[in-house]
Amino acid sequence: MASCGGSSTTSGAGAAESGAAGYPLPAVPDSITDPVKRAEFAVMHYWDRYDFRGREQLSDTVYVEQSLVDFWALLSMAEPATARNAVNGLLDKAAIYPKQLALIDWLAGKYLDDPNSPMRNEDIYIMFPSGGDARALGIGSEKAAASFFCSFNFTNKK
């Protein structure tokens, strides 16, 4: 898992930062020097170039998971109100493709709610709609949710 410190930076105001899995982090203007403000800018623009309709991205679990892990690392550095707005923006964009929204919510439970996860963060997890309850996404029971996620035909592309 990469964090802010693990990403590479190219100098210049228009430069983009790249996460380990290749998803481009937003370019933060050089004029923003405060670390919290930089994190807030990054979380508010993190998903601007992500293709939520892209079935290839949806099926590449490494790419999706790494993108979310990087986002959650940035969220933990932002003020709570900004983090909430950034999560709402993510969920609004993901809502155009219900499987993408369901996958994001499921991964939030896996990484942010699991007591054995090094990323466990209840403050961020409660920002997601289901809070681990698949019925909130219209999937039905947990058994139906398991069946739903098995239908993805995931691959781990490198």
Side-chain angles (χ1 to χ4, degrees), residues 32-102:
I32 303 174
T33 57
D34 178 81
V36 172
K37 297 294 181 197
R38 289 182 67 80
E40 289 180 344
F41 182 93
V43 297
M44 292 305 297
H45 295 280
Y46 190 86
W47 301 105
D48 288 355
R49 293 182 280 168
Y50 189 89
D51 180 11
F52 286 95
R53 295 178 200 264
R55 294 180 189 271
E56 183 174 318
Q57 289 179 357
L58 179 61
S59 67
D60 185 350
T61 57
V62 171
Y63 184 82
V64 174
E65 288 185 50
Q66 188 63 55
S67 298
L68 286 165
V69 165
D70 291 345
F71 177 66
W72 292 326
L74 288 170
L75 275 182
S76 66
M77 296 186 302
E79 294 292 334
T82 303
R84 164 70 68 194
N85 288 337
V87 169
N88 287 341
L90 163 63
L91 297 174
D92 287 346
K93 290 177 180 185
I96 63 172
Y97 193 57
K99 283 189 175 184
Q100 190 78 274
L101 180 61

